[in-house]
Amino acid sequence: YHGGTLEPDDFDTGHDGKTLADWMAEEEVVLARLTEAEFVAVRFYTSSSFSKINRPLRQEVRPHPWAMVVYLLDRGIKKLRAVQAQVNPQAFAGETTLWRGMKNLAVDVKEFAEFGGTEMAPMSTTTNEEVARHYAAS
């Protein structure tokens, strides 16, 4: 969820009536051996509730108020990455440019080159630069 107005094709198109059991039978979920809790954490993060996870991580709140959800999300993402590596090893090992639409941000390029940077929370990215530009302008 991008935080803006949801268009008809933005979220969950074609999933009407899908149950947890249906989701757990999906090929990627089975290959990843996701638990129901891991799957629910991943799906929850993709909803408009992502800020409940990201905000405390970015603000370095300790302990995180939803620490178990963060833990399950982390495990689920790692398991799904491993599936992608197994299903399509050439693409997984290849170089991919990812874009992130951000606004009202200034970067000290010299400092970044010297020290790098890490985002403490999960964040959405896209392989499509125009999509990132759209969200940066919103």
Side-chain angles (χ1 to χ4, degrees), residues 96-100 125-127:
T96 302
T97 299
L98 296 173
W99 298 92
R100 169 78 172 151
T125 58
T126 178
T127 56

Side-chain angles (χ1 to χ4, degrees), residues 20-115:
L20 179 57
D22 295 332
W23 282 108
M24 294 305 295
E26 289 286 332
E27 179 183 15
E28 294 88 353
V29 175
V30 172
L31 288 172
R33 297 184 180 156
L34 290 180
T35 66
E36 286 184 357
E38 291 164 343
F39 173 79
V40 169
V42 170
R43 287 288 293 169
F44 180 76
Y45 182 78
T46 64
S47 75
S48 61
S49 299
F50 69 93
S51 65
K52 299 291 187 186
I53 295 170
N54 284 1
R55 188 171 295 117
L57 288 169
R58 289 182 177 140
Q59 294 173 348
E60 299 183 28
V61 173
R62 302 287 188 267
H64 191 289
W66 293 3
M68 184 54 73
V69 176
V70 174
Y71 171 74
L72 292 166
L73 175 63
D74 181 65
R75 283 180 41 141
I77 289 170
K78 288 176 180 173
K79 286 181 177 184
L80 289 166
R81 283 187 65 220
V83 167
Q84 184 60 31
Q86 175 187 352
V87 170
N88 194 346
Q90 287 85 9
F92 185 81
E95 183 175 305
T96 302
T97 299
L98 296 173
W99 298 92
R100 169 78 172 151
M102 302 175 81
K103 62 182 175 181
N104 301 326
L105 180 70
V107 176
D108 182 329
V109 176
K110 183 179 177 185
E111 183 178 319
F112 182 77
E114 185 175 345
F115 299 109

